[in-house]
Amino acid sequence: VFLGPMVAMVLALGVSSLRRRGWSMALAGLLLLVSGYASFRVSVDYTKERWRDVAELVGATSDPANTAVIVTFDPDPFLYYNARLAKPFKVFAAAHPDVPFHDRYSREQLGAIYTALRDSIDRYPDVWVVVRSPNSAARKQVAQLANGAVALHRAPVLRDTLRSVQGPLRIARWVDRPGGAERR
């Protein structure tokens, strides 16, 4: 962002210094075309990030009083859009404070994540699990733990994958099984 205007000026000066007017005009047109395409891609990809869609889907289909959302790995984008809903949802991060970059977990840390999730969502009959790009063994383990904690008393009613700039967003909605209210 900081260097963009300076690079544009250097390119403009370079194009304007070409001796043949035809080359100068062709390169200037090409630069404008590439800049326009880059602006279009930024607008499409980054301003329309799928986290907004996930928050809106949860908000349109669930009651905040009875719903929890588990977000694995970087819950901040979901929290951002969740805060803008008329009635925000309770959000739990599937993470461990000793492992900020989700690279490797000990058996005890995985157990602590599972227990914290299970206990946090116990009173909610409707739980969403949002997993961003589980592309490493550690991320896959935590995604499985999150779904495992939710699956104890609930059944899946929705599973979907949304393509996203930062990797696929996998969403699942779980609701109480018949007779599941007895556990509360």
Side-chain angles (χ1 to χ4, degrees), residues 2-96:
F2 179 72
L3 294 176
M6 290 179 264
V7 170
M9 291 300 296
V10 169
L11 285 172
L13 288 171
V15 168
S16 67
S17 69
L18 291 173
R19 294 181 186 221
R20 291 191 177 150
R21 183 129 172 99
W23 278 107
S24 176
M25 296 300 287
L27 283 176
L30 182 63
L31 286 173
L32 286 174
L33 184 66
V34 168
S35 296
Y37 177 72
S39 296
F40 169 75
R41 290 300 300 180
V42 165
S43 175
V44 168
D45 289 341
Y46 291 94
T47 61
K48 305 291 188 220
E49 183 60 63
R50 301 306 299 265
W51 288 100
R52 178 185 301 136
D53 298 337
V54 172
E56 289 174 354
L57 176 64
V58 173
T61 56
S62 295
D63 175 20
N66 299 315
T67 304
V69 180
I70 296 174
V71 182
T72 63
F73 324 117
D74 315 321
D76 294 336
F78 183 84
L79 289 170
Y80 176 82
Y81 291 111
N82 184 51
R84 280 146 184 76
L85 294 174
K87 293 182 180 178
F89 291 83
K90 185 66 177 170
V91 179
F92 300 99
H96 194 280

Side-chain angles (χ1 to χ4, degrees), residues 43-150:
S43 175
V44 168
D45 289 341
Y46 291 94
T47 61
K48 305 291 188 220
E49 183 60 63
R50 301 306 299 265
W51 288 100
R52 178 185 301 136
D53 298 337
V54 172
E56 289 174 354
L57 176 64
V58 173
T61 56
S62 295
D63 175 20
N66 299 315
T67 304
V69 180
I70 296 174
V71 182
T72 63
F73 324 117
D74 315 321
D76 294 336
F78 183 84
L79 289 170
Y80 176 82
Y81 291 111
N82 184 51
R84 280 146 184 76
L85 294 174
K87 293 182 180 178
F89 291 83
K90 185 66 177 170
V91 179
F92 300 99
H96 194 280
D98 295 341
V99 188
F101 298 111
H102 317 294
D103 57 349
R104 193 175 315 158
Y105 295 97
S106 69
R107 180 171 282 141
E108 292 79 21
Q109 290 167 333
L110 290 170
I113 293 170
Y114 178 81
T115 302
L117 288 176
R118 184 195 64 211
D119 294 347
S120 298
I121 63 170
D122 187 52
R123 73 173 197 85
Y124 295 97
D126 186 359
V127 180
W128 290 77
V129 179
V130 183
V131 180
R132 182 181 66 85
S133 60
N135 53 8
S136 70
R139 287 175 173 256
K140 288 176 185 174
Q141 282 181 313
V142 173
Q144 288 173 349
L145 281 177
N147 283 306
V150 175

Side-chain angles (χ1 to χ4, degrees), residues 159-172:
R159 289 182 192 265
D160 200 0
T161 301
L162 303 176
R163 289 184 51 212
S164 175
V165 174
Q166 297 175 346
L169 285 173
R170 296 183 182 162
I171 56 174

